[in-house]
Amino acid sequence: MKIRLKQIIIVFAAILSAVCAVSCQTTPYNNDKTIIDLIKHFDSSGVKAEKIYPVISEIIKADDGCVLIFEGQKFELYKYNVKNPLQKAKLDKVIEDGEVFVLGFKHSAKVNGSFVLLNYRGHPREADIVTAFENFK
């Protein structure tokens, strides 16, 4: 009986350790950052917007968003709050599809943690925008 109890305790401890290891891992999201943090990162990366406009981020179920005008052309940034189940589901769909539908139009999307980059394709400085976005931590 002692051996059986000892085996059960060992198995239970192993399962508990595995559950803790999975739940204690950091998520791939940078949910603690804000749109302002991302804009400041763009500035320090040489992608300094001439103008910044707020957007109605709810249209794509995001928490926050803005349009940046850089060298005369726009691109968009959105932030999803992964603690909100609806927003997390939408972000997961964007990650899976690599695109977002806005008012029935498909837009290519890049994702970095909780943030989404839209309307960057075809921008004269597309490579710089994408690099800055991907390097945001």
Side-chain angles (χ1 to χ4, degrees), residues 25-39 41-42 63-64 77-83 87-88 91-92 95 110-117 130-137:
Q25 288 179 346
T26 58
T27 63
Y29 303 105
N30 43 12
N31 205 53
D32 60 320
K33 303 291 183 176
T34 67
I35 284 284
I36 301 298
D37 294 330
L38 181 53
I39 291 169
H41 171 75
F42 270 97
D63 203 41
D64 198 3
L77 302 172
Y78 293 91
K79 164 126 192 290
Y80 286 84
N81 179 357
V82 296
K83 293 179 182 176
Q87 289 187 28
K88 178 155 183 339
L91 181 61
D92 288 344
I95 291 168
K110 291 239 178 242
V111 177
N112 177 344
S114 297
F115 294 88
V116 173
L117 171 66
V130 170
T131 298
F133 182 72
E134 290 175 343
N135 288 331
F136 179 64
K137 302 291 180 224

Side-chain angles (χ1 to χ4, degrees), residues 21-80:
V22 169
S23 66
C24 295
Q25 288 179 346
T26 58
T27 63
Y29 303 105
N30 43 12
N31 205 53
D32 60 320
K33 303 291 183 176
T34 67
I35 284 284
I36 301 298
D37 294 330
L38 181 53
I39 291 169
K40 287 178 181 178
H41 171 75
F42 270 97
D43 288 351
S44 67
S45 299
V47 181
K48 185 162 177 58
E50 295 118 38
K51 295 180 184 174
I52 301 170
Y53 300 101
V55 295
I56 301 172
S57 56
E58 293 83 14
I59 203 160
I60 64 168
K61 296 182 178 72
D63 203 41
D64 198 3
C66 63
V67 171
L68 286 83
I69 307 298
F70 176 59
E71 296 192 358
Q73 289 191 336
K74 72 174 190 162
F75 64 94
E76 298 172 43
L77 302 172
Y78 293 91
K79 164 126 192 290
Y80 286 84

Side-chain angles (χ1 to χ4, degrees), residues 117-129:
L117 171 66
L118 294 180
N119 293 321
Y120 60 93
R121 291 235 169 141
H123 193 288
R125 300 271 308 269
E126 178 180 337
D128 296 326
I129 292 167

